[in-house]
Amino acid sequence: MLPSLYFATLSLTALPWLPRSCAQSSSSPKPSLLLAPAAKASNAPVSAPLNPSFAGFGIEPSNLFSFTGRDEVNELSVQLMHNLADYAGAPPHIRLGGNTQDYFIFDASHSDFTCAKNLQSTAQGTIAADSLVIGPTYFEALERFPKDTPITFGLNLGYSSPDYIDKIVAAAQAAVEGMKNVKLTSFEIGNEPDLYLENKMRSGNWSGQTWTEEFLDRAEAVYNRVLKPAGLPAKFFEAPNTASTIGTTFEISMLVANGLLNGTSGNDYVSIWNQHDYFYFINVTPTPITLDELMDLDATNKQFAYWEEQVEIGLDNGLPYALREMSSIGPIGMHDVSDTFGAALWTLNFFMYTATLNISSVQMHMTDNSNASAWQPVPMYGSEPFVRAQYYAHAAVAQIVGNGNGTTQIGVLNTTAPSPDYAGRLRAFSAYANGDLQAMVLINSKQANASVSNKPSFTFELNLGSGNGNKNVFLSYLTANGSDSLTGVTWNGLTYANTDGISSVADDTVTRLRTSQSGAVSVPVRDSQAVVVNLNYLLGSGVPAGNSYKNSAAPTPTSGACTAALTGAATTTLALAHSVDCGTAEESGSAKRTGEAEARRTGNLWMMLVCLLAVMLGFVYLA
């Protein structure tokens, strides 16, 4: 949207002198909850400042070319990554790892944009640890992602033939030399070694202790032969990269006792803890899964309770903790559950929740055939490439994180539901920038499918403190027709093209509310919807000074949000006239956003007249 048209979409709820019947539709009383976030981060339990690359992706190594393209660039993937970099101030962190990293060997003579079968494979494993070959083109393809995209690169631990050191050194050397545009930040050695007996990568006496010995052996070789000559530090490795630690010998405290952090020859190698999880895993989790169960956010806390302990233990041992492989449903999602808008709400909540645990980075795992991937990069299942609902949650998180320009901290508020209908369905997170309260993230995950008309809403009664009294707040919506929607999702009024990933404005309504003198404001959130309430300006309407990426990916409103309300009344009138000429379509579906003004541009002449009257009354009011 052009900057000059910012107030053309100003909601009439911003005009305090208008009759309430003009500003919003009447509705029956709705359930509500009072929340009072601290005005200062120093007075609240909040996360450490989030890295702009916090909300990232995992890409299965054998699927890299599907996401980047082979001989030709996959423009959809590249643009979707650029969008998030623009919003957050840095590209999302990518972990290039998974089962198939333990099948790869590097061959400098392999020049095709493929992962080729190794016709001379001799290694062990249910799928042999040398069954695939990659070459320099693998890194050429990876270089297509935005500049300085942080990369955690998976090296092969499964391979254990006599030349294993030479093989892992060759792959590490190729990675160091091949990444010039993107930024190699760490190696992980092996994927989920706690499962090596099951997948026959190892036999006999295999435990956390033997893994520690093998990890240190390989880390020392890679450091001495690759990292040190390149001027890179010894602490360049992520460990232990496990699928689980429950009932195994791979708990963090056990590995520390095994000497993992002692290193070798005076060098420490572990820079960060790296573990994996899924909310639900097909053929592993014993009970079925439904969309409604996924949207029960209390279930996420229960499922992750053990990992909360591991996070705390990891941090207590002096290293950051990353969740490098995560998803709603593994291994490849479930149609009509993990690809729905309800799953996008789950994703938004999960990122906010893990931030409050001081998890430093979360990577949502992607394969080209997964219904849980944020986008489908290649034709699959009879469909052309397209953007899934989950991507919109990533866009929301990127703008929330980028809003603080490297200072964003997240806190969680108690959202115990006042009625059983909303038990497990409400979440509220506070977001701080430069130590001050800047935004609230409000999630209502009560399932309301697209077929339901007149969807209910829940009202969050916010008390933002007297220091935020008489201030404007702007609402950004993560919304769709319903929880089961696969398409029609918008974030902050934006939609992303399935062809090239470029954003466009689907709904340019700007909803502005004003706090009372004491800082109180009521924010209704429709069932199956999320709202970000941002103080003083619309989220994403301006890039904080110092962001390394310019916010050019999204046509969002200008940051001139504090212009006089009288000007807003006048330009709103002009905008309504303009909408008659342009024929701007209504939001699809029968249910409008709760609390939005009736000034959604319907093109009705009587509304234009009412708003002209409002301008005249405004002059009288101000006089």
Side-chain angles (χ1 to χ4, degrees):
M1 178 167 45
L2 295 176
S4 61
L5 295 181
Y6 170 75
F7 280 102
T9 56
L10 186 66
S11 168
L12 291 184
T13 55
L15 308 181
W17 57 81
L18 285 181
R20 186 172 180 83
S21 60
C22 179
Q24 60 184 27
S25 60
S26 61
S27 60
S28 59
K30 298 177 177 64
S32 63
L33 181 66
L34 177 62
L35 299 172
K40 297 286 186 180
S42 57
N43 296 327
V46 297
S47 69
L50 297 181
N51 188 297
S53 302
F54 165 75
F57 301 102
I59 296 178
E60 187 65 37
S62 60
N63 287 180
L64 177 67
F65 293 121
S66 292
F67 285 93
T68 60
R70 299 179 186 275
D71 296 323
E72 296 184 1
V73 176
N74 186 319
E75 299 291 353
L76 174 63
S77 291
V78 173
Q79 182 61 51
L80 291 174
M81 287 286 290
H82 271 293
N83 295 342
L84 301 180
D86 289 343
Y87 299 158
H93 192 118
I94 288 182
R95 176 238 180 184
L96 191 55
N99 289 337
T100 55
Q101 78 186 63
D102 278 327
Y103 310 155
F104 279 177
I105 57 173
F106 178 79
D107 182 351
S109 67
H110 179 68
S111 59
D112 294 334
F113 283 88
T114 60
C115 304
K117 291 184 178 180
N118 180 12
L119 301 180
Q120 285 79 44
S121 172
T122 60
Q124 81 293 347
T126 302
I127 299 177
D130 63 347
S131 57
L132 294 174
V133 175
I134 59 172
T137 52
Y138 195 79
F139 302 100
E140 289 180 29
L142 186 58
E143 288 279 83
R144 295 167 179 170
F145 284 136
K147 181 175 176 55
D148 292 330
T149 296
I151 304 291
T152 293
F153 187 80
L155 297 172
N156 188 337
L157 174 65
Y159 187 83
S160 60
S161 298
D163 61 344
Y164 71 90
I165 290 293
D166 289 337
K167 294 295 187 187
I168 197 171
V169 164
Q173 187 69 51
V176 169
E177 293 178 352
M179 296 189 211
K180 303 301 182 184
N181 180 57
V182 298
K183 185 176 181 180
L184 177 64
T185 61
S186 55
F187 285 127
E188 63 172 35
I189 298 178
N191 176 72
E192 300 178 356
D194 51 314
L195 302 181
Y196 272 17
L197 290 177
E198 180 180 330
N199 59 31
K200 296 181 172 53
M201 287 294 182
R202 293 292 186 276
S203 59
N205 181 23
W206 178 251
S207 65
Q209 178 65 62
T210 51
W211 169 82
T212 298
E213 295 167 0
E214 292 199 14
F215 171 88
L216 293 175
D217 174 49
R218 287 162 173 78
E220 181 178 32
V222 170
Y223 171 63
N224 286 329
R225 294 173 58 177
V226 178
L227 298 176
K228 187 176 181 180
L232 295 171
K235 295 185 70 169
F236 204 76
F237 299 89
E238 302 191 2
N241 323 316
T242 50
S244 181
T245 63
I246 301 173
T248 73
T249 56
F250 286 83
E251 291 187 17
I252 289 176
S253 57
M254 296 176 180
L255 299 178
V256 172
N258 292 338
L260 177 64
L261 302 186
N262 296 340
T264 62
S265 304
N267 294 314
D268 297 332
Y269 301 112
V270 181
S271 61
I272 187 170
W273 301 111
N274 168 332
Q275 290 184 324
H276 307 164
D277 189 29
Y278 289 83
F279 173 75
Y280 183 93
F281 208 89
I282 297 172
N283 295 329
V284 174
T285 308
T287 57
I289 182 69
T290 65
L291 176 57
D292 188 59
E293 289 168 337
L294 177 66
M295 294 176 67
D296 179 355
L297 303 181
D298 283 352
T300 295
N301 290 74
K302 293 174 183 176
Q303 191 272 349
F304 209 73
Y306 172 80
W307 294 107
E308 287 191 27
E309 297 177 7
Q310 287 292 291
V311 173
E312 187 174 351
I313 293 170
L315 296 176
D316 286 346
N317 277 280
L319 294 176
Y321 183 106
L323 191 60
R324 292 290 191 220
E325 184 172 325
M326 184 66 201
S327 186
S328 58
I329 299 177
I332 59 169
M334 180 183 293
H335 180 49
D336 286 332
V337 179
S338 62
D339 53 356
T340 65
F341 177 66
L345 293 177
W346 177 89
T347 300
L348 173 61
N349 172 72
F350 192 81
F351 278 128
M352 295 293 99
Y353 162 60
T354 49
T356 67
L357 300 178
N358 274 318
I359 292 178
S360 63
S361 188
V362 178
Q363 278 61 52
M364 292 294 178
H365 200 59
M366 300 200 295
T367 62
D368 57 14
N369 64 341
S370 175
N371 280 299
S373 296
W375 66 92
Q376 183 176 295
V378 293
M380 187 71 62
Y381 305 127
S383 298
E384 291 300 306
F386 66 94
V387 183
R388 287 192 177 88
Q390 180 175 316
Y391 179 80
Y392 290 79
H394 281 263
V397 174
Q399 284 196 334
I400 292 166
V401 173
N403 201 29
N405 192 25
T407 70
T408 300
Q409 296 172 270
I410 304 296
V412 62
L413 280 75
N414 185 351
T415 50
T416 301
S419 67
D421 289 349
Y422 285 94
R425 308 295 169 161
L426 305 174
R427 288 295 184 272
F429 299 92
S430 51
Y432 296 82
N434 298 302
D436 295 322
L437 181 65
Q438 180 59 53
M440 293 289 296
V441 182
L442 309 176
I443 303 173
N444 177 353
S445 69
K446 185 178 180 183
Q447 186 172 10
N449 288 342
S451 59
V452 177
S453 59
N454 300 319
K455 295 177 179 63
S457 65
F458 186 94
T459 299
F460 292 85
E461 301 285 356
L462 306 181
N463 184 350
L464 306 181
S466 59
N468 289 314
N470 297 319
K471 286 188 177 181
N472 294 325
V473 296
F474 291 78
L475 309 188
S476 297
Y477 291 84
L478 178 61
T479 193
N481 284 342
S483 57
D484 57 344
S485 295
L486 303 179
T487 60
V489 182
T490 61
W491 156 246
N492 215 358
L494 297 175
T495 187
Y496 300 90
N498 292 327
T499 52
D500 56 16
I502 293 176
S503 66
S504 61
V505 175
D507 181 356
D508 57 4
T509 302
V510 175
T511 303
R512 185 183 76 172
L513 305 177
R514 192 163 181 86
T515 63
S516 69
Q517 185 174 355
S518 63
V521 65
S522 299
V523 182
V525 182
R526 195 204 72 192
D527 290 356
S528 296
Q529 192 180 64
V531 175
V532 177
V533 182
N534 200 57
L535 283 159
N536 300 321
Y537 57 91
L538 182 67
L539 185 69
S541 61
V543 180
N547 263 6
S548 59
Y549 276 77
K550 183 178 180 181
N551 192 347
S552 58
T556 53
T558 173
S559 59
C562 294
T563 305
L566 179 60
T567 305
T571 52
T572 299
T573 303
L574 295 175
L576 289 169
H578 174 74
S579 72
V580 174
D581 295 334
C582 293
T584 304
E586 269 290 331
E587 178 180 358
S588 60
S590 58
K592 294 182 180 180
R593 296 175 183 166
T594 304
E596 282 189 357
E598 287 297 312
R600 298 292 304 274
R601 293 195 311 268
T602 62
N604 291 337
L605 181 60
W606 68 268
M607 183 60 73
M608 293 170 56
L609 295 174
V610 169
C611 292
L612 283 170
L613 177 61
V615 176
M616 296 170 63
L617 290 175
F619 280 109
V620 174
Y621 177 87
L622 292 179

